[in-house]
Structure formats: structure tokens, C-alpha cells
Amino acid sequence: SSFWAIEEQYGPLVKLRVFNDVIYVCADPDAFDKISQVSEKRLPTETFGMKTMACKGVFIADGQQWQFARNTFQEKLTPELLDDLVPVFAEKTRELQDHALRAGLEGQVVDAMDWVERLTYDVICKVGFAYDPDMLARSQGEKEPFVEVFDELLEISINAALYGAADILGTVKQKFETKTEFLNKSLDDMIESARSKPGTSLLHHLLKAKCPLTGAGFDQSEIRDQLITLLVAGHKTTTLLLTWSLWHLATNGDAEM
């Protein structure tokens, strides 16, 4: 909401300077798309001493590292792959439908956005990491530990961009580092699990990819950052899109039928 207020007052692309840190706030999808296509973006890898999440991921990496990651995802994210994933989407959608029907029969209020976000986490993790946090099976307010820590880190990272200078005692930075260790350990476990057995997830594709110029693959930290990128870039955007779609269907009976 802080970023939205800045965008509303100053426009879609704002440059902020807080002491020695420079922060760019971009709220224009077209402008961001152009920025993401530049190989030498020189985006900051830390803010107020806290490492930027997924700083080696495809959106933030520079030069050959960015080109390799971009080409790897382009090779995998094809219409044919999306067709193959329809059964996964259908399975999770049926789970969501069952939960909504059961809640309705019990007279409960259905928090559509919460349940859709659970669905989004399950699908992204299953398709991307070959890991199912099974968020749809959890009770209201309950989160899987990996997802919970990711949410907390994302919130800390966003707030650090605006309020990091106020962390005089370094308590927020310490919390960030502790939770980052947990997140990295969880991702390392998923990576090792994928190494040990065949699969068709994006993680399996990342593990097999080789740079055409150097012949080298992604190192462990690069793979972790690509996986984090999938969540950062995909879970909120998809959740909002699906939630609004459900709202429009629910308020337009002819379209729903």
C-alpha cells in the first residue's frame, strides 16, 4: 500500500534516495516489461544491508547470468508444457471447489482470496519445485512452514525498501537472516530431492540446463533464487487475477452459467 501511495502521488516510475541507497518504484507493467528485457540492469543486490530476495533470479540477474536463465525458462515454458499441466490445475481446482462447497453447506463465510492463494501456492510449488505444501488441506489461518517463512521474508524485504533506515539496532536484519537460513535449507532439501529422482518440474529442468557459452549449469544459490523468483513473481499476481475472476463470475449470473 505504501508503494501504491507513492505511485498515485508521483507517477508510475519513481526514484527514491534514502541515505546511500537508491530505490526505484515501478508501477507501470509496460515500463517494467522493458526494464526486465535489459541485460545490464544493475539492480541493487541489497538494501540497508539486507540481501535482495532472488538477486540471482531471472528478473534481477545481469549479463550472461540473466541471458542463461531467461533462455532456460523460455525453452521450458511452452504451450505444450501448459497443456501437460492441465491435470495438475484441474486436481487442485477440484480441491478448492470441495472446500468451498463444504464451507457453504456448513454456513461458513468463504474467504475466496485466502483459498485462491492457497491454490496458487500449491500449484506453483508442485509444478515448479516438485513439492506440494498442500495448503488447501490446512485449516483457516494455518500455513505450511516453508510458505509461512516465505511470506514473512517477502514482507520484511518490501518494508526494508522504505523503512530499512529505521532498523538502528539491526533486529529486523537479524530476523531476516535467520528466516533466510530456514528458507534456503528448505529449498536445498527440495533441490536434493529433485536430484535423486526423475521428474518434469521446472526445478528438474533447471538442474539439467547448461549454458551454451560456458557449458556450466546453475549453481545451488542460483537455482534457489530462480525458485524464489517463481513464487515472488507468480503467487500474488495469479491470486489477484483468479480472485477477481471469481468475483466477476459470482456477480454476473449469465456468465457463470
Side-chain angles (χ1 to χ4, degrees):
S1 60
S2 299
F3 286 120
W4 290 337
I6 291 172
E7 186 273 335
E8 185 175 331
Q9 183 172 356
Y10 298 107
L13 185 60
V14 181
K15 179 181 178 181
L16 304 176
R17 178 178 291 278
V18 185
F19 299 131
N20 293 324
D21 286 276
V22 176
I23 302 162
Y24 289 89
V25 179
C26 180
D28 183 342
D30 292 332
F32 181 80
D33 184 58
K34 292 177 182 178
I35 293 170
S36 67
Q37 300 298 319
V38 178
S39 62
E40 299 292 340
K41 296 178 285 297
R42 305 298 184 193
L43 296 177
T45 56
E46 67 174 48
T47 303
F48 300 112
M50 282 183 275
K51 180 183 174 184
T52 302
M53 289 185 70
C55 63
K56 295 182 181 179
V58 66
F59 288 151
I60 300 180
D62 281 321
Q64 181 57 37
Q65 189 181 53
W66 169 81
Q67 190 69 52
F68 176 33
R70 184 168 180 263
N71 290 342
T72 300
F73 279 112
Q74 283 183 328
E75 289 174 5
K76 185 65 176 175
L77 296 175
T78 62
E80 292 76 19
L81 170 71
L82 296 179
D83 284 343
D84 292 340
L85 295 177
V86 168
V88 177
F89 301 150
E91 173 196 350
K92 287 298 179 180
T93 301
R94 282 193 293 270
E95 285 186 41
L96 176 63
Q97 184 181 34
D98 290 343
H99 284 295
L101 287 173
R102 188 160 54 249
L105 291 173
E106 295 174 357
Q108 300 177 13
V109 175
V110 177
D111 185 339
M113 188 168 180
D114 177 63
W115 284 107
V116 169
E117 186 166 24
R118 290 163 180 263
L119 167 76
T120 303
Y121 268 125
D122 282 355
V123 170
I124 291 177
C125 288
K126 193 167 185 178
V127 169
F129 311 173
Y131 172 73
D132 188 355
D134 208 11
M135 290 287 289
L136 284 172
R138 299 174 186 272
S139 60
Q140 189 80 15
E142 180 188 4
K143 289 187 177 181
E144 188 270 349
F146 168 76
V147 171
E148 183 174 24
V149 169
F150 169 78
D151 276 345
E152 291 175 351
L153 278 172
L154 188 60
E155 184 71 18
I156 293 172
S157 185
I158 291 172
N159 287 334
L162 292 178
Y163 312 119
D167 185 31
I168 305 298
L169 299 178
T171 52
V172 176
K173 180 183 177 182
Q174 185 177 9
K175 180 180 179 182
F176 181 84
E177 291 174 348
T178 299
K179 291 189 177 296
T180 297
E181 287 181 11
F182 178 88
L183 190 77
N184 287 343
K185 175 63 169 59
S186 299
L187 289 169
D188 285 341
D189 290 343
M190 296 176 201
I191 293 168
E192 291 312 309
S193 176
R195 288 187 199 277
S196 66
K197 52 189 176 185
T200 58
S201 71
L202 288 171
L203 172 54
H204 285 89
H205 186 63
L206 290 170
L207 289 171
K208 292 184 289 187
K210 299 294 180 184
C211 177
L213 293 180
T214 66
F218 294 105
D219 63 31
Q220 191 82 351
S221 64
E222 288 171 338
I223 292 177
R224 283 199 304 262
D225 280 1
Q226 301 302 347
L227 298 181
I228 293 172
T229 297
L230 291 176
L231 281 176
V232 171
H235 90 283
K236 284 295 185 186
T237 50
T238 305
T239 297
L240 290 171
L241 175 63
L242 291 176
T243 302
W244 276 111
S245 298
L246 289 175
W247 183 86
H248 281 294
L249 286 172
T251 53
N252 291 274
D254 292 341
E256 186 176 7
M257 293 298 292

